[in-house]
């Protein structure tokens, strides 16, 4: 009985991986852009501060909402590389699936980078990806 579990588990993993790889990406208008309104690039902020998200050419909708040209924000803090764009964004990236357009963050003192990625109803980046320029802030 135990010898069947490993192959079955491996098969389930393979099937679920293929299903994720086959997910259709939601189209985004070519002119769509996401950006950080505040804080500004290079700004010094207190340990706890607000981040205000901006979006142009699309609308904001909560995760799970199936409506053309909409998505919800994900914030990457101190990301060293972009995540895979063809699967749901990982838990290391802060999700704002309720359709929030701002958030309060608490970060340790020092330099940090912030970057927004718009996700569709299933937390998958659009095609083409709607990603902000990264900003660098200093937390005092």
């Amino acid at each position: 009985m135990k010898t069947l579990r490993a192959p079955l588990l491996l098969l389930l993993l393979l099937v679920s991986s293929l299903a994720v790889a086959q997910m259709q990406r939601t189209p985004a208008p070519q002119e769509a852009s996401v950006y950080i309104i505040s804080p500004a690039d290079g700004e010094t902020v207190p340990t706890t501060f607000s981040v205000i998200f901006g979006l142009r050419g699309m609308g904001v909708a909560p995760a799970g909402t199936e409506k053309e040209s909409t998505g919800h924000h994900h914030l990457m803090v101190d990301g060293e590389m972009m995540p895979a764009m063809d699967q749901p964004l990982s838990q290391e990236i802060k999700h704002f699936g309720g359709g929030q357009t701002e958030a309060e963050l608490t970060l340790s003192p020092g330099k940090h980078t912030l970057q927004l990625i718009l996700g569709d109803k299933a937390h998958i980046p659009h095609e083409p990806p709607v990603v902000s320029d990264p900003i660098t802030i200093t937390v005092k």
Side-chain angles (χ1 to χ4, degrees):
M1 185 76 122
K2 286 185 180 180
T3 57
L4 288 177
R5 286 185 184 166
L8 185 57
L9 183 58
L10 186 58
L11 179 62
L12 284 172
L13 255 168
L14 178 63
V15 169
S16 64
S17 296
L18 289 172
V20 167
Q22 301 275 331
M23 289 182 171
Q24 286 285 20
R25 291 180 60 197
T26 303
Q30 289 292 328
E31 71 279 358
S33 64
V34 65
Y35 52 96
I36 297 172
I37 296 170
S38 177
D41 189 28
E43 189 172 337
T44 298
V45 297
T47 303
T48 299
F49 60 99
S50 291
V51 180
I52 302 173
F53 314 143
L55 180 62
R56 205 175 291 127
M58 292 181 74
V60 176
T65 301
E66 193 158 344
K67 186 175 181 188
E68 189 175 320
S69 296
T70 64
H72 63 279
H73 296 97
H74 296 81
L75 181 64
M76 186 166 59
V77 178
D78 297 330
E80 293 184 17
M81 60 186 282
M82 292 301 290
M85 292 290 153
D86 61 350
Q87 52 192 302
L89 294 164
S90 69
Q91 293 305 313
E92 289 88 41
I93 295 174
K94 297 180 181 303
H95 294 248
F96 298 96
Q100 302 94 316
T101 57
E102 62 182 86
E104 191 170 275
L105 286 184
T106 300
L107 297 176
S108 60
K111 285 203 180 293
H112 295 277
T113 59
L114 305 176
Q115 189 169 20
L116 287 170
I117 304 168
L118 202 67
D120 70 5
K121 64 187 176 292
H123 304 280
I124 299 171
H126 294 77
E127 179 59 47
V130 182
V131 178
S132 74
D133 290 331
I135 67 163
T136 301
I137 58 168
T138 302
V139 175
K140 60 179 175 173

